[in-house]
Amino acid sequence: MKKEMNFNLPSINEARRRTKNSPKIEHQLFDIPVQLRNMGTGRLYYLRTYGCQANQRDSETIAGILELMGYKACDSEEEADVILLNTCAIRKNAEDKVLGEIGNLKKLKRRNPDLIIGVGGCMAQEEAIVKELLCKYPQVDLIFGTHNIANLPRLLANAVFAKEKTVEVFSKEGEIIEDLPSSRFQQHKAWVNIMYGCDKFCSYCIVPYTRGKERSRLIEDILKEVDELIKGGYKEVCLLGQNVNAYGKDLGMEAGFATLLEAVAKTGIARIRFMTSHPWNFDDNTVAICGKYANIMPYIHLPLQSGNDEILRKMNRRYTASEYRTLFDKLKKAIPGCSFTTDIIVGFPNESDEAFEDTLAMVDYCQFDNAFTFIFSPRIGTPAYNMTDSIDAKTKEERLARLNKKVAYYANQANQRFLDQVVEVLVDGYSKKNENVFSGYTKENKLVNFQSENVKPGDIVKVKITAVKSFSLDGKMIEE
Ligand code: SAH
Ligand code: SF4
Ligand code: F3S
C-alpha cells in the first residue's frame, strides 16, 4: 500500500467563488529545481489530450515542462514510463471516455508497477470525479488540476521518488503564470491564450468551475508571443479564450478585444483567428476591426446554444434570439464572404417542441457553415443539474437527429459557393494515402484536399475547387 501525501482536493464551493481581486501575473515564477532537471533522461512520456483548444494549449505546456525535465514523447502507452491524460469534463460522455481509458491502463500498471499514471485537466477539478478516482482507480498515481500545471515537476517527482499517491488540485480563482515552457504540436499554426477562465456561468456549464475566474494576459505579453511565433515561421495564430470578447475587462480596458485584435493584425502575421466569441460581449468596435484587416480571417464561431428566448434565459446566456440575429447580420455585412459556425444544445431541461422549433428556425435563418450539436448533459455543481426535466431521452435523440440533418444540409449548401473558385490554402500536410494529395484550410476555415507536387506544409497556395462535399472541398493547385 502506498503512503499518501497531504491531499489537496478540489471543492466545488470554492470553485464557484468569485472576488473582486485582480489576478496576480507572475513573470518569473516557473523554475525546475536543479535536482529534477534530468529526472526524465532516458525515459518516455505519453500524453493524451481530450476536450477543447484550451486543453490542447495546456498540453503543449505540459509537454514543454516534461521535455525540459529530459523526458521524450512517445506514441504508445505500452512504451511509456509516464502516461498523462489531460481531461475534459464538459459532458458525461467525455468523462466516460476518460474513465474507460484509465480502466484499460490498469493492465499496463500491473505489468510495470513503476509506470506513473497521471490525470490532469478539467476532470481533475471536479470534486466528485476526484473522489471516484481515489476510491475506484488505484492505478492513478497523480492528479493535478488546471491551476497546478506549473507545479508538475515537483508533483511528478513526488509520485516517482516518494512513491506516494499525489493529488494537488487548487480550486482558486487562478493566477497567470507567464514564461512557461511549451512544446507546440503544430509548426505553422499556433494557439495563443489571451485569457483564462470564464465568469459567464451559463447554467449548464462546468467550465467556470474547472478553469476559474476570467483573467486576461497583458497585451504586451501576447504580442511578444506572437512576434516570437512570426520569427519561428508561424503563419497563423488562433487567439484563445472561453469568451475572447471579454478580453481586457478585468484589466480595466474599455474595448479590450478590439484593441488587441488590431494590434495583432498590425504584426503582419498572415492569418489570425480567434475563439470563442460570446454574442453578449461582441461589440461594434470588434465587428469593425474584423472587417478592416485582411489578415483577420473571415470565419466566426458564434455559439447560439438555443433559438428560444425562454431557454436562453434559463441558460443564463444574456441575449435573445433577436439580438443574436442582429449581431449575425452585422458581422455578415461587415465581413464579406465570412463563414459562420455555431454550438447548439438540444434537450435543455423542459425544452418544449416549440422551443426546439425556434432553434431550427434560427438554423434556417443563419444557414451556418457548420454546427457542433450536443444533447444537454447534467453537470454536478451547475444550476441546471438541479432543474427537473420532463423531456425523455428518446425525444432528445430525435431532436438531435433532426437538427443534424438540417445542419448537414446547410453545410453542403454553404460549400457550393466554392465550386470552380480559386481559394487560398495554408498547407497542413500530406495525405497518408497519396503523396501528391495535400490538405489545408481556406481563409474561411474550410478543409481542402488538393493535388499538387512541389508544396510543403506552411506554404500558402492557390487551389481551384473541383468538387464539394458537406464537410470538405476537393481541388487542384494552380501555379502562379
Ligand atoms: N466558451 C465557449 C464554449 C465552451 S464548451 C462558449 O461559450 O461557447 C463548448 C460547447 O459545449 C458549448 O458551446 C456548449 O454548446 C456545449 N456544452 C457546454 N456544457 C454542456 C452541457 N452541460 N451539456 C451539453 N453541451 C454542453
Ligand atoms: Fe461555458 Fe458559458 Fe463560459 Fe462558454 S461562456 S465556457 S458555455 S459558462
Ligand atoms: Fe472540456 Fe475543460 Fe475545455 S471541460 S471543453 S477541456 S475548458
PDB file of all heavy atoms in Angstrom, residues 208-224:
ATOM      1  N   PRO A 208     -16.674  27.384 -15.808  1.00  0.00           N
ATOM      2  CA  PRO A 208     -16.298  28.390 -14.810  1.00  0.00           C
ATOM      3  C   PRO A 208     -15.776  27.769 -13.506  1.00  0.00           C
ATOM      4  O   PRO A 208     -15.033  28.407 -12.764  1.00  0.00           O
ATOM      5  CB  PRO A 208     -17.606  29.146 -14.554  1.00  0.00           C
ATOM      6  CG  PRO A 208     -18.391  28.963 -15.818  1.00  0.00           C
ATOM      7  CD  PRO A 208     -18.065  27.567 -16.276  1.00  0.00           C
ATOM      8  N   TYR A 209     -16.165  26.511 -13.236  1.00  0.00           N
ATOM      9  CA  TYR A 209     -15.721  25.824 -12.017  1.00  0.00           C
ATOM     10  C   TYR A 209     -14.380  25.132 -12.229  1.00  0.00           C
ATOM     11  O   TYR A 209     -13.615  24.949 -11.294  1.00  0.00           O
ATOM     12  CB  TYR A 209     -16.769  24.779 -11.586  1.00  0.00           C
ATOM     13  CG  TYR A 209     -18.170  25.351 -11.533  1.00  0.00           C
ATOM     14  CD1 TYR A 209     -18.955  25.412 -12.680  1.00  0.00           C
ATOM     15  CD2 TYR A 209     -18.693  25.859 -10.343  1.00  0.00           C
ATOM     16  CE1 TYR A 209     -20.226  25.959 -12.653  1.00  0.00           C
ATOM     17  CE2 TYR A 209     -19.980  26.410 -10.310  1.00  0.00           C
ATOM     18  CZ  TYR A 209     -20.726  26.461 -11.471  1.00  0.00           C
ATOM     19  OH  TYR A 209     -21.984  27.008 -11.438  1.00  0.00           O
ATOM     20  N   THR A 210     -14.092  24.710 -13.467  1.00  0.00           N
ATOM     21  CA  THR A 210     -12.848  23.969 -13.702  1.00  0.00           C
ATOM     22  C   THR A 210     -11.691  24.888 -14.112  1.00  0.00           C
ATOM     23  O   THR A 210     -10.535  24.481 -14.054  1.00  0.00           O
ATOM     24  CB  THR A 210     -13.009  22.905 -14.810  1.00  0.00           C
ATOM     25  OG1 THR A 210     -13.304  23.545 -16.042  1.00  0.00           O
ATOM     26  CG2 THR A 210     -14.112  21.917 -14.477  1.00  0.00           C
ATOM     27  N   ARG A 211     -12.033  26.108 -14.536  1.00  0.00           N
ATOM     28  CA  ARG A 211     -10.997  26.980 -15.094  1.00  0.00           C
ATOM     29  C   ARG A 211     -10.820  28.284 -14.335  1.00  0.00           C
ATOM     30  O   ARG A 211      -9.954  29.097 -14.680  1.00  0.00           O
ATOM     31  CB  ARG A 211     -11.331  27.308 -16.552  1.00  0.00           C
ATOM     32  CG  ARG A 211     -11.265  26.113 -17.462  1.00  0.00           C
ATOM     33  CD  ARG A 211      -9.858  25.955 -17.980  1.00  0.00           C
ATOM     34  NE  ARG A 211      -9.666  24.677 -18.614  1.00  0.00           N
ATOM     35  CZ  ARG A 211      -8.505  24.272 -19.104  1.00  0.00           C
ATOM     36  NH1 ARG A 211      -7.465  25.058 -19.049  1.00  0.00           N
ATOM     37  NH2 ARG A 211      -8.383  23.096 -19.651  1.00  0.00           N
ATOM     38  N   GLY A 212     -11.703  28.539 -13.358  1.00  0.00           N
ATOM     39  CA  GLY A 212     -11.529  29.731 -12.538  1.00  0.00           C
ATOM     40  C   GLY A 212     -12.003  31.019 -13.194  1.00  0.00           C
ATOM     41  O   GLY A 212     -12.664  31.022 -14.226  1.00  0.00           O
ATOM     42  N   LYS A 213     -11.616  32.107 -12.540  1.00  0.00           N
ATOM     43  CA  LYS A 213     -12.069  33.445 -12.896  1.00  0.00           C
ATOM     44  C   LYS A 213     -11.546  33.878 -14.274  1.00  0.00           C
ATOM     45  O   LYS A 213     -10.459  33.466 -14.687  1.00  0.00           O
ATOM     46  CB  LYS A 213     -11.486  34.368 -11.821  1.00  0.00           C
ATOM     47  CG  LYS A 213     -11.848  35.821 -11.844  1.00  0.00           C
ATOM     48  CD  LYS A 213     -11.063  36.462 -10.681  1.00  0.00           C
ATOM     49  CE  LYS A 213     -11.137  37.962 -10.662  1.00  0.00           C
ATOM     50  NZ  LYS A 213     -11.928  38.447  -9.524  1.00  0.00           N
ATOM     51  N   GLU A 214     -12.325  34.728 -14.936  1.00  0.00           N
ATOM     52  CA  GLU A 214     -11.904  35.308 -16.211  1.00  0.00           C
ATOM     53  C   GLU A 214     -10.697  36.213 -15.957  1.00  0.00           C
ATOM     54  O   GLU A 214     -10.792  37.156 -15.173  1.00  0.00           O
ATOM     55  CB  GLU A 214     -13.068  36.166 -16.742  1.00  0.00           C
ATOM     56  CG  GLU A 214     -13.319  36.046 -18.208  1.00  0.00           C
ATOM     57  CD  GLU A 214     -14.737  36.497 -18.562  1.00  0.00           C
ATOM     58  OE1 GLU A 214     -15.027  37.706 -18.497  1.00  0.00           O
ATOM     59  OE2 GLU A 214     -15.559  35.627 -18.904  1.00  0.00           O
ATOM     60  N   ARG A 215      -9.563  35.902 -16.585  1.00  0.00           N
ATOM     61  CA  ARG A 215      -8.374  36.735 -16.342  1.00  0.00           C
ATOM     62  C   ARG A 215      -7.553  36.848 -17.617  1.00  0.00           C
ATOM     63  O   ARG A 215      -7.264  35.865 -18.284  1.00  0.00           O
ATOM     64  CB  ARG A 215      -7.553  36.175 -15.172  1.00  0.00           C
ATOM     65  CG  ARG A 215      -7.285  34.694 -15.262  1.00  0.00           C
ATOM     66  CD  ARG A 215      -7.022  34.083 -13.877  1.00  0.00           C
ATOM     67  NE  ARG A 215      -6.377  32.794 -14.005  1.00  0.00           N
ATOM     68  CZ  ARG A 215      -7.036  31.661 -14.269  1.00  0.00           C
ATOM     69  NH1 ARG A 215      -8.340  31.638 -14.417  1.00  0.00           N
ATOM     70  NH2 ARG A 215      -6.369  30.532 -14.374  1.00  0.00           N
ATOM     71  N   SER A 216      -7.204  38.087 -17.938  1.00  0.00           N
ATOM     72  CA  SER A 216      -6.570  38.383 -19.225  1.00  0.00           C
ATOM     73  C   SER A 216      -5.061  38.506 -19.095  1.00  0.00           C
ATOM     74  O   SER A 216      -4.566  39.084 -18.114  1.00  0.00           O
ATOM     75  CB  SER A 216      -7.097  39.712 -19.769  1.00  0.00           C
ATOM     76  OG  SER A 216      -8.499  39.663 -19.882  1.00  0.00           O
ATOM     77  N   ARG A 217      -4.351  38.019 -20.088  1.00  0.00           N
ATOM     78  CA  ARG A 217      -2.904  38.265 -20.149  1.00  0.00           C
ATOM     79  C   ARG A 217      -2.680  39.717 -20.578  1.00  0.00           C
ATOM     80  O   ARG A 217      -3.525  40.316 -21.253  1.00  0.00           O
ATOM     81  CB  ARG A 217      -2.241  37.351 -21.176  1.00  0.00           C
ATOM     82  CG  ARG A 217      -2.238  35.899 -20.796  1.00  0.00           C
ATOM     83  CD  ARG A 217      -1.616  35.067 -21.903  1.00  0.00           C
ATOM     84  NE  ARG A 217      -0.184  35.275 -22.037  1.00  0.00           N
ATOM     85  CZ  ARG A 217       0.537  34.921 -23.104  1.00  0.00           C
ATOM     86  NH1 ARG A 217      -0.064  34.380 -24.160  1.00  0.00           N
ATOM     87  NH2 ARG A 217       1.832  35.127 -23.146  1.00  0.00           N
ATOM     88  N   LEU A 218      -1.535  40.257 -20.229  1.00  0.00           N
ATOM     89  CA  LEU A 218      -1.216  41.623 -20.657  1.00  0.00           C
ATOM     90  C   LEU A 218      -1.009  41.642 -22.165  1.00  0.00           C
ATOM     91  O   LEU A 218      -0.443  40.700 -22.738  1.00  0.00           O
ATOM     92  CB  LEU A 218       0.068  42.110 -19.971  1.00  0.00           C
ATOM     93  CG  LEU A 218      -0.002  42.256 -18.450  1.00  0.00           C
ATOM     94  CD1 LEU A 218       1.374  42.638 -17.903  1.00  0.00           C
ATOM     95  CD2 LEU A 218      -1.052  43.282 -18.043  1.00  0.00           C
ATOM     96  N   ILE A 219      -1.438  42.728 -22.792  1.00  0.00           N
ATOM     97  CA  ILE A 219      -1.341  42.838 -24.240  1.00  0.00           C
ATOM     98  C   ILE A 219       0.118  42.694 -24.698  1.00  0.00           C
ATOM     99  O   ILE A 219       0.402  42.045 -25.712  1.00  0.00           O
ATOM    100  CB  ILE A 219      -2.011  44.156 -24.710  1.00  0.00           C
ATOM    101  CG1 ILE A 219      -2.403  44.080 -26.174  1.00  0.00           C
ATOM    102  CG2 ILE A 219      -1.172  45.364 -24.462  1.00  0.00           C
ATOM    103  CD1 ILE A 219      -3.453  45.119 -26.568  1.00  0.00           C
ATOM    104  N   GLU A 220       1.059  43.248 -23.899  1.00  0.00           N
ATOM    105  CA  GLU A 220       2.471  43.156 -24.333  1.00  0.00           C
ATOM    106  C   GLU A 220       2.993  41.721 -24.283  1.00  0.00           C
ATOM    107  O   GLU A 220       3.830  41.323 -25.089  1.00  0.00           O
ATOM    108  CB  GLU A 220       3.392  44.114 -23.554  1.00  0.00           C
ATOM    109  CG  GLU A 220       3.408  43.960 -22.057  1.00  0.00           C
ATOM    110  CD  GLU A 220       2.493  44.961 -21.358  1.00  0.00           C
ATOM    111  OE1 GLU A 220       1.427  45.308 -21.917  1.00  0.00           O
ATOM    112  OE2 GLU A 220       2.852  45.393 -20.237  1.00  0.00           O
ATOM    113  N   ASP A 221       2.498  40.944 -23.330  1.00  0.00           N
ATOM    114  CA  ASP A 221       2.930  39.533 -23.264  1.00  0.00           C
ATOM    115  C   ASP A 221       2.390  38.742 -24.463  1.00  0.00           C
ATOM    116  O   ASP A 221       3.073  37.876 -25.009  1.00  0.00           O
ATOM    117  CB  ASP A 221       2.447  38.886 -21.957  1.00  0.00           C
ATOM    118  CG  ASP A 221       3.202  39.405 -20.741  1.00  0.00           C
ATOM    119  OD1 ASP A 221       4.383  39.780 -20.897  1.00  0.00           O
ATOM    120  OD2 ASP A 221       2.617  39.437 -19.644  1.00  0.00           O
ATOM    121  N   ILE A 222       1.152  39.068 -24.866  1.00  0.00           N
ATOM    122  CA  ILE A 222       0.556  38.371 -26.016  1.00  0.00           C
ATOM    123  C   ILE A 222       1.306  38.745 -27.296  1.00  0.00           C
ATOM    124  O   ILE A 222       1.663  37.884 -28.106  1.00  0.00           O
ATOM    125  CB  ILE A 222      -0.945  38.732 -26.140  1.00  0.00           C
ATOM    126  CG1 ILE A 222      -1.702  38.281 -24.894  1.00  0.00           C
ATOM    127  CG2 ILE A 222      -1.551  38.119 -27.403  1.00  0.00           C
ATOM    128  CD1 ILE A 222      -3.102  38.850 -24.763  1.00  0.00           C
ATOM    129  N   LEU A 223       1.579  40.051 -27.453  1.00  0.00           N
ATOM    130  CA  LEU A 223       2.272  40.493 -28.672  1.00  0.00           C
ATOM    131  C   LEU A 223       3.691  39.938 -28.748  1.00  0.00           C
ATOM    132  O   LEU A 223       4.172  39.590 -29.829  1.00  0.00           O
ATOM    133  CB  LEU A 223       2.292  42.026 -28.743  1.00  0.00           C
ATOM    134  CG  LEU A 223       0.914  42.656 -28.980  1.00  0.00           C
ATOM    135  CD1 LEU A 223       1.008  44.171 -28.911  1.00  0.00           C
ATOM    136  CD2 LEU A 223       0.318  42.217 -30.321  1.00  0.00           C
ATOM    137  N   LYS A 224       4.330  39.808 -27.590  1.00  0.00           N
ATOM    138  CA  LYS A 224       5.679  39.227 -27.567  1.00  0.00           C
ATOM    139  C   LYS A 224       5.612  37.781 -28.071  1.00  0.00           C
ATOM    140  O   LYS A 224       6.431  37.350 -28.885  1.00  0.00           O
ATOM    141  CB  LYS A 224       6.222  39.278 -26.125  1.00  0.00           C
ATOM    142  CG  LYS A 224       7.679  38.971 -26.017  1.00  0.00           C
ATOM    143  CD  LYS A 224       8.166  39.226 -24.575  1.00  0.00           C
ATOM    144  CE  LYS A 224       9.065  38.103 -24.154  1.00  0.00           C
ATOM    145  NZ  LYS A 224       8.890  37.602 -22.814  1.00  0.00           N
TER     146      LYS A 224
END
